[in-house]
Amino acid sequence: MAAGTIFGLLGSNGSGKTTTIRTCLGIYRPDGGSFELLGSRDPLAVRHRVGYLPEERGLYARMKVREQFAFLASINGFTMAESDRRAGEWLERVGLADKAELATGELSKWMQQKVQFAAAVIHGPDLVVLDEPYAGLDPVNSRLLTELIVEQRDKRTTVILSTHRMEQVEALCEWICLLHHGRPLLNGRLSDIKTSHGRHTIVVDCDGDRQRLRDIAGVRECEGSGRETRLHLDADGDAQDVIRAVVSQVAVRAIRIDEPRLEEIYVAKVGHA
């Protein structure tokens, strides 16, 4: 996996995501096995090259926002002048310049979330680990966070994204690992994983009685989503036969064979594990 990749770490609660992250970062000591972080077997030796946004947030509640930014930059080796400059840049970037003199504990939860993200990247790390970064964010700030993550990728920073939000993983991640009971069920490039799970879904935008599509031979499940209806085919279903049947049943505006969604693959794998 090349530098500048966004890697999705997936799994239900208790699957081992946070434990894996904390072990790789040297917070937990492993009982056995081995790993490397940025080419080193000692994670503490490369900690200055890593940024970490933990699932359980950790900010200094009584410290002013600007002071907090500058302090976190300074402990990574920057001069006070450079730390203050970086603090000003990130206050502007996350939309908190007008909150700079407030104590961090006075901020709302989603504002603190933005402070936490900036704290993880203010020193320009080579690797950023984000554990459930979208928790508590509204759609506007979720979009801002996505922009910030993409900016890190474009700077050739590798991002590990641990989240339950499949739509974010699907939109952002090139590589994924699906954990279940501490073991990987899937691991690799997302596009390859989707291809390996076949193209057994037909998406239809149509007028007419969609319920009639449920009875077409080869259709296992019919799922409506707004204007579109997704027809999940049996493993041996013939997509071309189904398409011909759909066209004969309803007035079609658009129809396509679609790759499986990550959520579908996730449910199928975890359900059989």
Side-chain angles (χ1 to χ4, degrees), residues 74-226:
S74 68
I75 62 175
N76 281 283
F78 295 105
T79 65
M80 291 306 300
E82 176 63 12
S83 297
D84 190 63
R85 185 189 70 78
R86 288 177 178 242
E89 284 184 353
W90 275 101
L91 283 166
E92 292 288 346
R93 188 65 190 90
V94 298
L96 293 176
D98 60 337
K99 311 293 184 185
E101 299 306 312
L102 291 180
T104 304
E106 297 179 45
L107 301 181
S108 66
K109 183 177 180 180
W110 61 267
M111 288 183 182
Q112 291 187 34
Q113 182 79 329
K114 294 197 288 186
V115 173
Q116 190 83 60
F117 178 86
V121 300
I122 195 168
H123 58 296
D126 297 317
L127 171 68
V128 179
V129 182
L130 307 175
D131 197 352
E132 296 292 348
Y134 288 93
L137 294 184
D138 59 28
V140 172
N141 285 289
S142 291
R143 178 175 292 186
L144 172 61
L145 178 59
T146 296
E147 291 175 1
L148 295 173
I149 292 172
V150 170
E151 283 180 8
Q152 293 299 308
R153 180 200 66 192
D154 292 345
K155 293 176 182 177
R156 302 290 293 166
T157 300
T158 300
V159 179
I160 296 179
L161 175 63
S162 174
T163 178
H164 289 92
R165 295 180 58 169
M166 297 293 171
E167 75 280 5
Q168 297 294 347
V169 173
E170 202 145 20
L172 287 170
C173 298
E174 301 165 63
W175 292 71
I176 67 165
C177 178
L178 169 59
L179 292 179
H180 188 60
H181 297 315
R183 297 184 178 276
L185 287 183
L186 288 172
N187 186 25
R189 191 182 297 274
L190 180 55
S191 58
D192 294 340
I193 289 172
K194 287 191 170 190
T195 299
S196 70
H197 282 76
R199 301 176 66 86
H200 295 297
T201 301
I202 294 174
V203 182
V204 185
D205 181 357
C206 64
D207 291 321
D209 184 4
R210 301 183 185 186
Q211 297 302 315
R212 300 167 65 181
L213 303 180
R214 297 179 182 272
D215 300 325
I216 294 175
V219 174
R220 171 175 51 83
E221 182 182 355
C222 183
E223 175 190 10
S225 177

Side-chain angles (χ1 to χ4, degrees), residues 20-92:
T20 298
I21 287 171
R22 291 177 178 176
T23 301
C24 290
L25 295 181
I27 299 170
Y28 292 163
R29 187 183 296 270
D31 296 326
S34 63
F35 65 90
E36 287 189 2
L37 182 69
L38 296 174
S40 173
R41 293 193 175 185
D42 179 6
L44 299 183
V46 293
R47 60 188 174 186
H48 61 288
R49 297 174 57 195
V50 179
Y52 178 38
L53 188 158
E55 183 177 14
E56 297 173 358
R57 311 308 184 217
L59 297 170
Y60 298 100
R62 297 182 181 179
M63 188 179 286
K64 293 180 180 179
V65 178
R66 187 183 189 97
E67 290 175 349
Q68 184 139 210
F69 279 10
F71 169 71
L72 292 168
S74 68
I75 62 175
N76 281 283
F78 295 105
T79 65
M80 291 306 300
E82 176 63 12
S83 297
D84 190 63
R85 185 189 70 78
R86 288 177 178 242
E89 284 184 353
W90 275 101
L91 283 166
E92 292 288 346

